[in-house]
Amino acid sequence: MAAYQQVFDPVGGSLGWSALFAALPLITLFVLLGGLRWKAWKASLVSLAVALAVAVLAYSMPVGQAALAASEGAAFGLFPILFIVLNALWIYKMTEITGWDAVLRRAFGSLSGDQRVQAVIIAFCFGALLEALAGFGTPVAVSSVMLMAVGMKPMKAAAVSLVANTAPVAFGAIAVPITTLGKITGMDAADLGAMVGRQTPLLALFVPLVLVFMVDGKRGVRQTWPVALVGGLAFAGAQFVSANYISYEIADIVAAFAGALAVVGILRVWQPKEVLTAQGPAPVVAGGSTATAESEAVLRRRQTGEGSALKAFAPYLIIVALFSVATAGPVKTWLEAHSGWKFAWPGLDVVNAKGEPLSSVTYNFNVFNAGGTVLLVAGLLTAVLYGIGVRRTTGAYADTVRQFRWTIVTVMAVLALAYVMNLSGQTVTLGLFLAQTGGAFALLSPVVGWLGVAVTGSDTSSNSLFGMLQVAAAEKTGISSYLLGAANTTGGVLGKMISPQNLAIAAAVVGLEGREGELFRKVVGWGLGMLVVVCALVYLQSTPVLDWMVVR
């Protein structure tokens, strides 16, 4: 099969005209999702077709090479990304069919009857743990349901969950967005994680204060700021330390527990003067169990929340314990040495403009040290702990796959689109064109990531689409590629709350289908305000004022 060498100005030798063609797949995705409101999987497939057409017709990429690029991207979407997501969702599904999810909600409610405090504990701390383990809309769905279960109104529960799902997103799903960015750009993922860990903690400081304001306005901030501040400080500090000095992959796990422990600790010595409780009966929680035959104990747990809080938390404690072991020095070294198979994607032969082979044509099937494998083991242990038989365990997995089948299609299509654009040279063309703004691009870099997540609903997908663009811009402007890569990731977390997928998930689980526009209006201002802060931070990090914060 004919090889392909990247050319970045294939249309008439003009970078401007080439950039116009290179932007067509993204414009298609934006218009179909944001303008015409197509379903994400349909928009992704059409946009992939446009990317293939541009690669073949405008960039003269051989048809076979373009197809192989798409196939490698789709495979990367399936493993390791979807392997993580499906296993994490499967674990939650097993807690649902056994009724232990209701016990978990009761345990959260017993920590404090104040809805403002519950917003910090459930949406911010526990939501961050769910983001760390699964991501891709899971924390929004689960947190919204839990907030409703403790008495919060549906619209407020959904909005609070969306805004809370910001600071942890960059390190979500065992830091898949950062790992993906490293894979696509060839940069060291640990250094990227450290750089992100010098940006997102700033958001974590303020998000809990925003949440209590959303729940109860100025009074909420005035009466509960100690809880919000302590929780935010603990979370931010733990996220920074873990990302820079321990492991970026478990940064959110460490931060979530640190934030929760700090909140529980301060509640032991301090309580708000007034308690904001639910008004009237708690709303009916959307959804339900997939179990067909339920024991009396399961029904009792689901109806009353009766049961051991420790056993309800057990699946998540198992996950944390397994990841702690898997990332420990000797074990991590052994797993990396026996991780599976790394091989050149069969038939894919692409070199850059200098004739050098690209690292992204190598596929790493690291099955033994993959985050999804750890979650798979944790799921099997959870099934044993809860006494779930083989049939119900496999049935729960099948239900999870069936429920998220279109998400699977979407993720694989978006990753295929990203690989086609990256390997054909389309993203580098866009980067070179935008880099003509010079040093001012540091201000635009987070906005690019924000737009990517706003459209695709995933920081992983945004990094896949725009990672090479950021690197190309960095090389052209002289700005650190690690700074701009991290900026794409950090800016992206603020697009999560307004992405059509997340809005649809949040609205659906609280029973507000069709009111996504109202939900959008409640959260968009917070997202834009925080985006301005991140843009200013990244710009200052690109100047002598804060360049000491940049990873060297």
Side-chain angles (χ1 to χ4, degrees):
M1 187 177 295
Y4 173 67
Q5 183 170 8
Q6 292 179 329
V7 179
F8 304 133
D9 56 353
V11 183
S14 167
L15 189 63
W17 281 108
S18 301
L20 181 61
F21 277 86
L24 287 177
L26 300 179
I27 293 173
T28 301
L29 189 61
F30 293 166
V31 170
L32 293 181
L33 270 180
L36 301 181
R37 299 182 181 180
W38 280 31
K39 292 186 181 297
W41 68 272
K42 292 182 179 179
S44 300
L45 288 174
V46 172
S47 301
L48 170 60
V50 173
L52 288 167
V54 171
V56 173
L57 300 177
Y59 281 74
S60 301
M61 189 178 194
V63 173
Q65 294 295 332
L68 286 171
S71 68
E72 187 189 4
F76 185 68
L78 186 62
F79 182 94
I81 295 174
L82 286 166
F83 189 50
I84 291 173
V85 176
L86 292 175
N87 286 332
L89 291 170
W90 169 55
I91 291 172
Y92 181 76
K93 178 75 72 175
M94 286 191 288
T95 69
E96 188 181 42
I97 65 176
T98 54
W100 285 105
D101 61 322
V103 180
L104 190 62
R105 288 196 296 270
R106 176 192 58 78
F108 279 124
S110 67
L111 292 174
S112 173
D114 192 307
Q115 288 197 345
R116 299 163 299 190
V117 176
Q118 289 168 345
V120 176
I121 295 174
I122 295 175
F124 183 67
C125 297
F126 186 66
L129 180 61
L130 292 174
E131 181 66 42
L133 302 176
F136 295 89
T138 306
V140 171
V142 177
S143 296
S144 297
V145 169
M146 284 186 166
L147 288 174
M148 287 181 62
V150 296
M152 193 172 290
K153 293 182 179 179
M155 182 62 72
K156 186 174 289 185
V160 166
S161 297
L162 285 167
V163 174
N165 190 220
T166 50
V169 167
F171 297 97
I174 318 301
V176 163
I178 296 171
T179 302
T180 301
L181 183 60
K183 160 72 174 175
I184 283 179
T185 62
M187 290 190 284
D188 184 80
D191 285 342
L192 279 170
M195 189 64 238
V196 174
R198 302 177 191 191
Q199 295 172 344
T200 55
L202 180 67
L203 296 174
L205 285 173
F206 299 104
V207 168
L209 291 168
V210 171
L211 299 182
V212 298
F213 181 88
M214 292 177 70
V215 175
D216 194 32
K218 293 180 180 178
R219 184 182 66 171
V221 176
R222 187 171 61 251
Q223 294 183 354
T224 61
W225 67 264
V227 169
L229 187 61
V230 167
L233 279 170
F235 186 100
Q239 192 180 61
F240 168 79
V241 170
S242 183
N244 281 273
Y245 303 110
I246 304 176
S247 169
Y248 76 94
E249 294 166 309
I250 61 170
D252 275 351
I253 295 177
V254 175
F257 276 100
L261 289 173
V263 171
V264 171
I266 192 173
L267 288 175
R268 289 184 177 275
V269 298
W270 177 91
Q271 290 285 339
K273 291 183 178 180
E274 297 179 40
V275 177
L276 181 69
T277 57
Q279 300 297 317
V284 177
V285 177
S289 172
T290 58
T292 53
E294 299 170 338
S295 69
E296 188 175 316
V298 171
L299 290 172
R300 186 168 60 250
R301 280 196 295 269
R302 185 167 296 121
Q303 293 169 359
T304 67
E306 176 186 331
S308 166
L310 180 61
K311 194 169 182 178
F313 276 105
Y316 306 102
L317 296 176
I318 290 171
I319 291 169
V320 172
L322 289 177
F323 271 109
S324 298
V325 172
T327 55
V331 177
K332 183 177 181 180
T333 301
W334 188 89
L335 287 173
E336 287 177 347
H338 304 81
S339 62
W341 302 271
K342 182 182 290 188
F343 55 90
W345 195 253
L348 188 58
D349 190 1
V350 179
V351 295
N352 64 18
K354 298 178 182 179
E356 301 166 340
L358 299 174
S359 61
S360 54
V361 301
T362 300
Y363 184 76
N364 188 8
F365 189 63
N366 58 331
V367 63
F368 298 121
N369 69 334
T373 302
V374 175
L375 292 173
L376 179 62
V377 174
L380 294 174
L381 292 175
T382 298
V384 173
L385 175 68
Y386 288 163
I388 307 174
V390 174
R391 184 175 180 179
R392 292 184 73 198
T393 300
T394 55
Y397 206 107
D399 285 345
T400 301
V401 173
R402 185 162 50 250
Q403 182 180 352
F404 289 91
R405 60 190 181 279
W406 298 121
T407 300
I408 294 172
V409 174
T410 300
V411 172
M412 293 180 69
V414 169
L415 266 297
L417 164 68
Y419 267 67
V420 171
M421 291 189 66
N422 290 343
L423 291 176
S424 66
Q426 295 173 54
T427 50
V428 175
T429 297
L430 290 171
L432 293 174
F433 180 72
L434 291 175
Q436 294 178 118
T437 58
F441 183 75
L443 274 172
L444 299 176
S445 180
V447 178
V448 173
W450 176 79
L451 284 171
V453 177
V455 170
T456 66
S458 163
D459 211 16
T460 300
S461 298
S462 177
N463 280 348
S464 300
L465 287 171
F466 297 128
M468 285 304 299
L469 182 154
Q470 300 281 5
V471 171
E475 293 175 352
K476 185 75 173 178
T477 60
I479 302 173
S480 166
S481 58
Y482 283 94
L483 173 59
L484 295 189
N488 194 83
T489 307
T490 304
V493 307
L494 299 170
K496 191 88 168 177
M497 68 181 77
I498 62 166
S499 68
Q501 294 90 320
N502 256 25
L503 289 169
I505 290 171
V509 297
V510 299
L512 296 176
E513 295 91 341
R515 296 177 63 183
E516 290 85 358
E518 184 180 345
L519 188 55
F520 171 85
R521 290 191 292 273
K522 285 188 175 294
V523 300
V524 65
W526 296 111
L528 291 175
M530 287 187 247
L531 179 62
V532 170
V533 173
V534 171
C535 288
L537 173 64
V538 172
Y539 178 73
L540 290 175
Q541 288 177 329
S542 72
T543 69
V545 177
L546 292 180
D547 67 347
W548 51 270
M549 296 179 66
V550 178
V551 171
R552 304 298 179 189

